[in-house]
Amino acid sequence: MTTRVLDPRDLIRSILFWALLIPLALIAFIGAEITHHDWVDSVNAIVYAFGAILALTLARQAGHQAQDELERDLADPFGRPFWLLVAVICLVFVFSELFGGFIEHYEQQVSPFWIGDLLCWLAAVTFTLTVARLRPRHPGSAARFITPIVPLLGLGLGLQSIDLGLDVGEPHLRHHFGLSLETYDNITDLLEFAFLQLYLLAFIGLAAEITARHALQSQIVTAETAAEPAVTLRAAQLAFTTATLTSRKFSRRRLQRAMEGLIIADGMVGMAAGIRLTRRLGPSIMRRTGKSPLRQFAEQMAFMWKFGLAPKTYYQFELFDPALGAVAGQYLQRSETKASAYKIMHKATGHRLSEKLEFHNRCLELGLPAAPVVFAATDGLPDAAFADLAELPPVDLFIKPRKGSGGRGAVKWQYAEGIFVHKDGQHLTPAALRQSVIDQSAETNMLVQKTLTNHAALADINCGTLATIRIVTCRNESGAYEVTNAAFRMPRVSGSAVDNFHAGGIASAVDITSGRLGAATDLGLSPHSGWFATHPITGAAIEGRILPRWAEARALVERAHPSFSDFAVIGWDVAILEDGPCIIEANGAPDLDIIQRTARAPLGNARLGRLMAWHVKRDLRGALLG
């Protein structure tokens, strides 16, 4: 297919344009009352013009000759002549709105004068009935209609009928309510705008329905034939989103996540986020680079429009740096990985990573060193394996939800002289803390682990908290598993429960060959963000340091990944202890921000991106169409 078809990005941008017309119409109405110029007609002309553009796009697509049986199945049921006629009618209405005085001159010679409005109403009735009859429908549950098209058209037709009634009864009604001719015309024009907006929203939804399946085929071909891995993954994300819009085989949760990625990148949310971030971070970046906040915002919008990059990536990955901005299209976002690529590559065999107790038990079965679990509770009761445990063991403990990420809900309790102490000063006996965990599990299933201590060589940069390495492994072309990237995470303040990057910690890139650390940094979204060759609290060297027992840690995750083959990519959290590496957790949909931020380089065309693109090209068609 070579014809350009509408896709979910066009849907988001169309709805954004539709929403912006509403305040514009209200401003036009107020302006018309003040200036006595019919501004609302000009806004209505914009609505008609947009409808004409949509109709011409559909006509061009309908004119495409089907090359095979699949394309014939996807054929537009309305046909090219229908859409050309709709486009012509819309353009006629554009002319009538812009040159209303010229047309009214001739209307006054016609009896009744509202005959033109009646013809418009009849055209709307014909269009609504045609859509209701010919709207594409697919058997069974294969299709998901995202817009209540016929109800919107029906509601618009109802408002247009009221508007027609106001035109027919104008002399009597205007006299009855004591309205001037200009005010009465402005009110009817505003009512016309209201029903036009309903028609336009239904039209956008109809265009999305008609073109979605064409777009899906086109996007799959783009992903499969793209030379650059980053382009493949971006096209796959778009194809996955289109598939969630058109097929009920995907859950509403996946639809929501897929759409959120596009809305943040292509919609009003992205613009609002850009404004907010620029206000907060723009001045500090201007001091570093000399770029004004306005120029920063303009660059964010350019990257958002061209590559679908959310505005936060501009600061997170330092795209204000010309060298990094030049490769902006190679950065991977959550919407391309967590919301699409990981889903496409996933092969369900029942090995879950998200349930921490199940993962721990699986590691024990496989003989993999994992953080020891001393207690667990589910739904307000202790798990069967710990039912006879009357109180928690007298050691420092780490308590966290059995599901979740980013260190959310995790707390440390230190044991001293028969009492557990929390950093906020709370004291509990071992039995009381056990009961507290059971009570919490009524809302969220909980897990209790022994607090582990890092290798002595890391004591000067972990601030008394367990520091971990995020190691990313990926299944390669031959079916083996390899480490592609790693980052070492450290807490930034003493007494922190976790070292997580997204919880305020810092991290540095790890050279996967030698285990050497680069400079450390935070998430990059603070006016005080920067890079640290030494730890900001202890002053100990970070950059250039060699991680102890790195080769063992790397070998451990490469040995572990084949036993969790559901996932092509896994992010492992590994702690280096005195006696060797230990697996803390594993994530089957790892966030790659920490890797790209700390390495100061995108992953899209790097080894991980190439492997992900290879898997996506192989699995995309089956995952979305099979």
Side-chain angles (χ1 to χ4, degrees):
M1 296 180 207
T2 57
T3 302
R4 168 73 164 90
V5 293
L6 300 177
D7 61 38
R9 292 171 303 182
D10 300 309
L11 175 63
I12 296 298
R13 292 163 183 168
S14 296
I15 293 176
L16 171 61
F17 177 77
W18 175 87
L20 290 175
L21 286 174
I22 296 175
L24 183 62
L26 295 176
I27 293 171
F29 176 78
I30 296 171
E33 287 293 297
I34 296 174
T35 64
H36 305 292
H37 183 83
D38 204 346
W39 295 106
V40 182
D41 277 348
S42 300
V43 179
N44 289 342
I46 296 174
V47 178
Y48 281 123
F50 189 66
I53 292 171
L54 280 177
L56 288 172
T57 301
L58 291 172
R60 186 173 66 250
Q61 180 178 300
H64 172 70
Q65 295 297 317
Q67 301 297 320
D68 52 35
E69 184 177 348
L70 176 61
E71 290 197 12
R72 284 190 289 273
D73 290 341
L74 300 177
D76 185 343
F78 296 93
R80 189 179 191 186
F82 177 81
W83 294 121
L84 288 175
L85 177 61
V86 171
V88 169
I89 293 174
C90 287
L91 290 174
V92 169
F93 289 153
V94 170
F95 181 84
S96 69
E97 295 294 340
L98 294 178
F99 304 99
F102 176 78
I103 294 175
E104 286 178 6
H105 173 73
Y106 288 95
E107 277 187 341
Q108 292 173 0
Q109 303 176 27
V110 178
S111 182
F113 67 90
W114 40 262
I115 190 67
D117 294 321
L118 178 62
L119 292 175
C120 293
W121 182 84
L122 290 173
V125 170
T126 302
F127 181 80
T128 301
L129 293 175
T130 302
V131 169
R133 181 172 178 272
L134 296 180
R135 181 183 175 202
R137 297 184 180 277
H138 309 288
S141 61
R144 165 184 279 151
F145 296 138
I146 60 172
T147 309
I149 293 170
V150 174
L152 283 173
L153 290 174
L155 184 57
L157 191 59
L159 291 180
Q160 189 176 3
S161 300
I162 295 173
D163 186 63
L164 177 61
L166 291 176
D167 283 341
V168 172
E170 177 191 332
H172 173 73
L173 292 173
R174 189 158 53 82
H175 176 74
H176 178 77
F177 291 105
L179 299 174
S180 67
L181 178 60
E182 288 181 348
T183 299
Y184 192 87
D185 284 345
N186 286 335
I187 292 173
T188 57
D189 286 344
L190 198 59
L191 185 59
E192 180 184 1
F193 171 79
F195 70 70
L196 284 179
Q197 281 291 84
L198 290 171
Y199 287 152
L200 181 58
L201 185 59
F203 199 177
I204 291 170
L206 180 62
E209 269 190 14
I210 291 171
T211 63
R213 295 176 73 203
H214 285 277
L216 180 57
Q217 291 289 330
S218 176
Q219 291 153 8
I220 290 174
V221 170
T222 299
E224 291 174 335
T225 58
E228 287 192 22
V231 176
T232 291
L233 296 174
R234 208 157 44 240
Q237 176 217 359
L238 201 54
F240 188 86
T241 303
T242 303
T244 62
L245 288 169
T246 58
S247 173
R248 293 190 185 275
K249 69 180 288 187
F250 298 100
S251 67
R252 289 194 174 274
R253 183 184 177 190
R254 289 194 177 178
L255 169 63
Q256 178 183 350
R257 287 188 174 181
M259 289 302 295
E260 282 175 357
L262 286 182
I263 291 171
I264 291 173
D266 288 279
M268 190 178 295
V269 175
M271 296 179 65
I275 293 171
R276 177 176 54 82
L277 285 167
T278 304
R279 287 184 61 188
R280 183 157 60 94
L281 305 177
S284 63
I285 300 304
M286 184 172 66
R287 288 191 293 270
R288 287 173 55 184
T289 67
K291 289 186 178 180
S292 68
L294 181 61
R295 183 179 172 189
Q296 294 174 44
F297 178 75
E299 290 181 347
Q300 291 170 52
M301 295 301 101
F303 290 140
M304 185 177 79
W305 188 267
K306 188 173 182 181
F307 303 118
L309 290 175
K312 73 171 185 176
T313 61
Y314 181 79
Y315 297 105
Q316 196 169 34
F317 303 139
E318 300 188 340
L319 302 183
F320 45 79
D321 182 329
L324 295 175
V327 292
Q330 297 178 26
Y331 280 91
L332 298 182
Q333 298 187 94
R334 293 167 62 93
S335 57
E336 294 161 356
T337 56
K338 297 172 80 74
S340 56
Y342 294 152
K343 309 293 185 186
I344 294 165
M345 297 186 293
H346 185 255
K347 308 293 184 186
T349 61
H351 295 150
R352 293 197 298 168
L353 298 176
S354 57
E355 216 296 336
K356 295 178 173 61
L357 183 59
E358 287 186 22
F359 173 71
H360 167 268
N361 293 338
R362 173 74 172 158
C363 286
L364 292 185
E365 292 173 6
L366 297 168
L368 300 171
V373 174
V374 299
F375 187 70
T378 305
D379 298 329
L381 294 170
D383 277 27
F386 307 100
D388 297 332
L389 187 68
E391 56 184 36
L392 297 182
V395 294
D396 292 350
L397 297 176
F398 189 73
I399 302 174
K400 61 185 177 182
R402 282 165 57 170
K403 284 189 174 182
S405 60
R408 288 181 287 272
V411 294
K412 283 177 63 176
W413 288 84
Q414 292 183 311
Y415 183 80
E417 300 180 355
I419 296 294
F420 283 102
V421 181
H422 189 267
K423 68 176 183 179
D424 65 2
Q426 186 180 8
H427 291 62
L428 290 176
T429 65
L433 183 57
R434 172 186 178 275
Q435 187 58 47
S436 174
V437 172
I438 292 173
D439 293 342
Q440 289 180 67
S441 75
E443 297 292 332
T444 303
N445 296 340
M446 301 299 293
L447 189 72
V448 182
Q449 295 175 308
K450 288 183 179 179
T451 298
L452 302 177
T453 302
N454 280 127
H455 190 285
L458 301 174
D460 57 349
I461 56 174
N462 67 9
C463 294
T465 298
L466 186 69
T468 60
I469 317 169
R470 167 54 61 91
I471 308 177
V472 179
T473 57
C474 186
R475 184 166 55 241
N476 62 27
E477 302 92 338
S478 65
Y481 296 86
E482 62 179 77
V483 171
T484 60
N485 304 90
F488 182 68
R489 301 182 297 196
M490 300 154 276
R492 195 171 188 171
V493 296
S494 299
S496 175
V498 294
D499 64 344
N500 294 78
F501 195 53
H502 289 83
I506 57 176
S508 60
V510 179
D511 183 291
I512 63 173
T513 302
S514 64
R516 184 182 299 274
L517 300 183
T521 185
D522 58 8
L523 198 55
L525 298 177
S526 164
H528 308 294
S529 291
W531 295 84
F532 310 99
T534 59
H535 196 283
I537 299 299
T538 68
I542 295 175
E543 189 172 12
R545 179 186 292 244
I546 304 293
L547 288 176
R549 313 190 82 153
W550 164 249
E552 296 174 53
R554 176 172 177 167
L556 172 61
V557 295
E558 289 181 335
R559 176 164 61 94
H561 195 154
S563 299
F564 300 92
S565 57
D566 307 42
F567 307 93
V569 178
I570 294 180
W572 305 88
D573 293 341
V574 177
I576 304 295
L577 310 182
E578 202 67 49
D579 58 353
C582 174
I583 296 174
I584 305 300
E585 292 180 4
N587 190 328
D591 195 323
L592 301 178
D593 290 351
I594 184 174
I595 301 296
Q596 297 181 117
R597 166 72 179 172
T598 58
R600 286 179 168 172
L603 287 175
N605 290 348
R607 177 60 175 164
L608 179 60
R610 294 197 302 272
L611 288 176
M612 289 175 63
W614 183 86
H615 285 290
V616 165
K617 285 184 177 183
R618 186 189 62 178
D619 300 336
L620 182 61
R621 190 170 293 270
L624 302 188
L625 301 179

